Amino acid sequence: MPWTLPPRPSRRSLLTGAAGAAGAALLAGCTGGGGPSGDGTGIPLERRMREGAVRDSARLLERYDATLAVHPGLAERLAPLRAAVAAHSAALAFPAPAATRSASPSPSPSPSASAAAAAAATPSGSTAAGRADVPPKPAEALSALADAERSLSEARTIALAGAPGELARLLASVAACGAVHAYLLTSTPGAAS
């Protein structure tokens, strides 16, 4: 019997084996993460995003309050917009667990809920530092407030990509509202469009 070379593996079988090994390596790399939050802090992504959004809304409320303190004549025009920002802050606050919703309120609310409540409750809680940032002319102050609304709206629109479903829908609504606020702040009141 003549001696023959052992059959060589085909190119296709080598590529299939390499693809399988690469897939196994990728799957093994995905299992060593830091839990559901993805950053190793142990705080869920949705909670971090909501708390950040509440802080952003609180800063925007402070800008409204500082503008109203420097330009009280704008109160009629800014009151509904400020109220909407306060409502956004309350809506973005992380919801309480179902077990604590039915029970009596806890003596120490979560930081996001207490920040939202404090921001919504005090229209005159601005600091002297916030007042220094308000332009001296009302038109410039409205423009600065519109810029703040616009930049926060854009930031929330960008954050949509990483947000979980319900939060993404809420952020989209709040971002759209912020864009409308920016338009209303820069438009001439009473003008026909």
Side-chain angles (χ1 to χ4, degrees), residues 16-38:
T16 303
L26 285 175
L27 288 175
C30 290
T31 60
S37 64

Side-chain angles (χ1 to χ4, degrees), residues 36-48:
S37 64
D39 72 344
T41 64
I43 300 172
L45 173 66
E46 182 177 4
R47 182 174 204 92
R48 288 193 324 264

Side-chain angles (χ1 to χ4, degrees), residues 3-123:
W3 185 81
T4 61
L5 290 171
R8 294 186 323 180
S10 68
R11 186 181 312 162
R12 181 176 291 156
S13 64
L14 286 175
L15 290 175
T16 303
L26 285 175
L27 288 175
C30 290
T31 60
S37 64
D39 72 344
T41 64
I43 300 172
L45 173 66
E46 182 177 4
R47 182 174 204 92
R48 288 193 324 264
M49 290 184 81
R50 282 181 178 269
E51 288 174 351
V54 168
R55 279 191 303 274
D56 292 341
S57 290
R59 282 194 290 271
L60 186 58
L61 278 172
E62 290 172 2
R63 291 201 61 143
Y64 270 94
D65 293 342
T67 302
L68 286 168
V70 173
H71 302 289
L74 296 175
E76 184 178 337
R77 185 169 181 184
L78 296 181
L81 301 178
R82 187 202 179 281
V85 172
H88 297 161
S89 184
L92 287 165
F94 199 77
T100 60
R101 268 188 238 144
S102 61
S104 63
S106 66
S108 59
S110 70
S112 60
S114 61
T122 58

Side-chain angles (χ1 to χ4, degrees), residues 170-183:
L170 182 59
L171 285 173
S173 297
V174 173
C177 193
V180 170
H181 286 188
Y183 171 77

